[in-house]
Amino acid sequence: MARSNKRDISIACFNLLNLGLPGLPIYGKDGWTELEYAAKLAFCESRLAEIDADIIGFQECWDAEALAELFDRPALKDRYDLVARTLSPRGIQVALAARKGMLREEPRWIEELPENARFTDLREARDAEESVTVTIRKFSRPLLRVVVNKAAGSPNIVVYVAHLKSKGPTTLRYDRDNPVLRDNSFIARSVVSHVRRMVEAGAFRAILDDELSGNDRPLVVIGDLNDSSISVSTELLSGNPGYRFFAKSTAGSKSDTGLYSVEKLQQLRSFRHVYYTHIFKNQMESLDHIMVSDSFYDHSSIRKWSFREMNILNDHLTSTEAERRRLGQNDHGIVAARFDWNPMVEEAEKILEEAGSPAVS
């Protein structure tokens, strides 16, 4: 059994499949019945108790009260602090749960793309007549930024929870005089969805650059990014840092702004690739991700935690949609990653000195 340390950290990503109070509409349609809602809370409670994570990032939370009711159930009661909100009018949101006492600073919701990541009036150098203007100013689902700390003697961790635009076709205002909408509506709506997700990933990357540049701040991104780890949008968001594959390699020794996917960290430990968190038309996809800065990367010169393992709870994805609704199951796998407190010697001494604790020989 792996050793345990109070500074060890566990992180999970959990898409709630439109958790909302019973009887309230979701996307203009009937929401959950009382029976479906009770089953949903029971399913979520059992899975959250099973993963037993310190930090849990949620997507698709419609009502903060529903999340509070979930965490008031016996297996979870009085164990977590929640960061969630209900919009008016109601809408889909991300949320977070952190082990009691871990929250630091005031949580911040980020709704608008930063000014320096708005992609308007971009012109190709080779052809001045070719230009791109995207007037997207807001994230489809606002980002959530939270700062947490597990235990004295360990640094604060910045956590972002995200839910980027899905692959599903966007609803567009119909214009019969627009030939694309008239003749190729599905294609147009699909292209807009992909463009929005790329824009959101690029804007999020700009936020992360500002957050990480020139410092050794531990940072975690938890998100339903609606694309695989090797997709253009996800690699843009991660910064695509180098991974160390052999002893003399210097890859991964330091990455100022890059984020390491726990999917790839797990693959480096195993010959098997069973990472899927969503099934659509019988295609297994990995849409849900946990990414970490180099403070969590084994080979980093500033390592503070080492990767232990990654697990995915996805057996329920083989159920039919009707079965999932009856049993309260969600439609995404739940990703959980664990890291052992294992800083480089010089990092450990610096952290203990800053915390006023005696060095351990």
Side-chain angles (χ1 to χ4, degrees):
M1 182 178 294
R3 66 179 179 82
S4 179
N5 186 296
K6 64 182 180 180
R7 300 185 188 97
D8 296 347
I9 199 89
S10 51
I11 306 162
C13 183
F14 197 126
N15 185 305
L16 292 162
L17 181 56
N18 297 320
L19 177 66
L21 294 171
L24 297 181
I26 295 173
Y27 292 123
K29 300 178 181 179
D30 291 342
W32 308 106
T33 66
E34 291 285 353
L35 284 176
E36 289 169 340
Y37 180 69
K40 194 170 185 62
L41 293 187
F43 171 81
C44 292
E45 177 191 19
S46 67
R47 294 304 183 270
L48 288 167
E50 182 177 353
I51 60 177
D52 191 32
D54 298 312
I55 306 165
I56 310 154
F58 295 103
Q59 299 82 35
E60 301 195 18
C61 178
W62 285 72
D63 294 298
E65 185 180 341
L67 192 66
E69 288 185 5
L70 169 60
F71 277 85
D72 197 42
R73 293 175 68 90
L76 306 172
K77 190 177 179 64
D78 298 326
R79 295 178 55 198
Y80 289 89
D81 292 315
L82 303 180
V83 181
R85 66 178 186 175
T86 304
L87 294 181
S88 180
R90 292 168 67 249
I92 192 170
Q93 293 283 281
V94 299
L96 177 134
R99 199 82 73 178
K100 279 283 185 184
M102 285 183 61
L103 292 178
R104 304 288 187 273
E105 300 184 10
E106 191 70 21
R108 181 159 57 95
W109 304 88
I110 302 172
E111 301 190 14
E112 296 195 355
L113 276 59
E115 289 285 349
N116 61 357
R118 295 185 181 178
F119 307 97
T120 60
D121 197 24
L122 305 176
R123 298 184 179 275
E124 290 191 18
R126 62 182 180 180
D127 188 345
E129 294 185 1
E130 295 287 344
S131 65
V132 176
T133 294
V134 181
T135 55
I136 295 172
R137 296 184 175 86
K138 293 185 176 182
F139 289 98
S140 52
R141 273 80 61 141
L143 307 176
L144 173 59
R145 181 188 185 274
V146 179
V147 178
V148 300
N149 191 294
K150 177 71 183 293
S154 63
N156 286 347
I157 302 170
V158 176
V159 180
Y160 280 90
V161 187
H163 188 185
L164 300 189
K165 180 67 183 75
S166 70
K167 297 179 182 179
T170 297
T171 300
L172 298 176
R173 293 182 181 179
Y174 182 67
D175 180 358
R176 63 187 302 173
D177 296 325
N178 186 311
V180 175
L181 290 175
R182 184 185 64 238
D183 301 332
N184 295 293
S185 174
F186 179 81
I187 294 173
R189 291 183 293 118
S190 297
V191 166
V192 170
S193 284
H194 290 293
V195 169
R196 175 174 275 281
R197 186 170 61 261
M198 283 297 303
V199 168
E200 291 179 354
F204 194 4
R205 178 70 257 175
I207 291 170
L208 294 172
D209 280 346
D210 290 342
E211 186 86 65
L212 290 167
S213 295
N215 62 69
D216 296 334
R217 182 176 298 150
L219 184 142
V220 173
V221 169
I222 305 170
D224 175 359
L225 305 181
N226 270 308
D227 224 331
S228 72
S229 60
I230 59 172
S231 69
V232 175
S233 58
T234 307
E235 287 197 341
L236 172 63
L237 176 56
S238 73
N240 207 16
Y243 289 77
R244 187 180 187 188
F245 292 98
F246 55 91
K248 292 186 178 180
S249 170
T250 59
S253 61
K254 186 74 176 69
S255 178
D256 189 33
T257 62
L259 298 175
Y260 296 84
S261 165
V262 299
E263 174 187 357
K264 292 185 179 180
L265 296 180
Q266 181 71 13
Q267 288 172 0
L268 293 175
R269 301 277 180 88
S270 173
F271 290 110
R272 300 176 64 223
H273 182 194
V274 292
Y275 190 107
Y276 69 92
T277 68
H278 189 254
I279 300 176
F280 181 69
K281 294 183 178 179
N282 295 320
Q283 295 185 37
M284 295 178 176
E285 303 176 290
S286 55
L287 307 182
D288 305 84
H289 302 272
I290 298 172
M291 298 179 179
V292 295
S293 65
D294 54 359
S295 293
F296 299 86
Y297 182 53
D298 288 1
H299 304 296
S300 169
S301 61
I302 65 160
R303 183 194 71 217
K304 298 175 181 67
W305 290 269
S306 287
F307 176 71
R308 185 198 304 175
E309 63 183 1
M310 183 273 298
N311 294 298
I312 297 182
L313 282 65
N314 58 11
D315 289 347
H316 58 277
L317 296 183
T318 57
S319 301
T320 65
E321 184 176 348
E323 287 174 329
R324 285 201 298 268
R325 192 173 183 96
R326 178 174 59 85
L327 298 172
Q329 299 170 340
N330 58 1
D331 62 344
H332 283 242
I334 302 153
V335 185
R338 303 185 186 280
F339 296 84
D340 293 323
W341 176 253
N342 184 27
M344 292 290 188
V345 174
E346 59 271 24
E347 283 295 310
E349 291 177 348
K350 182 172 72 173
I351 292 168
L352 289 170
E353 182 179 344
E354 292 174 352
S357 302
V360 180
S361 59

